[in-house]
Amino acid sequence: QVQLVESGGGLVQAGGSLRVSCVVSGRTFSSYSMGWFRQAPGKEREFVAAISWSGATTYYADSVQGRFIISRDNAKETVYLQMNSLKPEDTASYYCAKHRGGPYASSTNYEYWGQGTQVTVSS
């Protein structure tokens, strides 16, 4: 069993920055890729970013490319999402998840999800 706990969400003004974290426990964190998704009210969950087990490779949704940075610290069993130049449309609950194989952008290729952390960007 893998447990994921997100933190770091909050309220920020447009143009600001925020970093959310996800602490993982239960299995060898350094052996699998991780992803971040988000879901706004009334919308489907969407892919944000993913990172390979080593951290050497990262993937981003077009909507966040150049503004968000995903990283990981395997010693701390934590994955991060640094969000810069935030926009009101980034407002959502942000979820981390353990990747189990297949294309990174599909939520069906992830198992074990955190409870989410709310990010609200005011205009």
Side-chain angles (χ1 to χ4, degrees):
Q1 189 76 7
V2 176
Q3 294 182 325
L4 303 91
V5 179
E6 301 98 335
S7 63
L11 174 64
V12 63
Q13 289 189 333
S17 298
L18 203 62
R19 188 179 79 162
V20 292
S21 303
C22 173
V23 178
V24 183
S25 61
R27 286 190 184 173
T28 308
F29 176 73
S30 60
S31 66
Y32 47 84
S33 300
M34 293 289 297
W36 282 97
F37 285 75
R38 66 187 181 186
Q39 187 167 19
K43 294 187 177 181
E44 294 186 354
R45 187 167 297 189
E46 65 172 352
F47 171 75
V48 176
I51 188 167
S52 62
W53 66 271
S54 67
T57 307
T58 56
Y59 304 86
Y60 297 94
D62 289 344
S63 59
V64 307
Q65 179 75 49
R67 300 188 298 123
F68 290 12
I69 300 171
I70 188 172
S71 63
R72 66 191 295 162
D73 185 334
N74 286 344
K76 295 183 178 179
E77 297 184 317
T78 302
V79 60
Y80 305 96
L81 185 68
Q82 175 68 42
M83 302 180 287
N84 302 317
S85 301
L86 282 161
K87 305 174 181 180
E89 50 264 43
D90 294 318
T91 296
S93 290
Y94 283 73
Y95 301 86
C96 63
K98 173 187 174 295
H99 184 247
R100 62 181 176 184
Y104 282 108
S106 175
S107 62
T108 60
N109 293 326
Y110 292 79
E111 57 182 359
Y112 304 112
W113 294 77
Q115 82 290 347
T117 185
Q118 178 66 36
V119 172
T120 302
V121 184
S122 63
S123 57

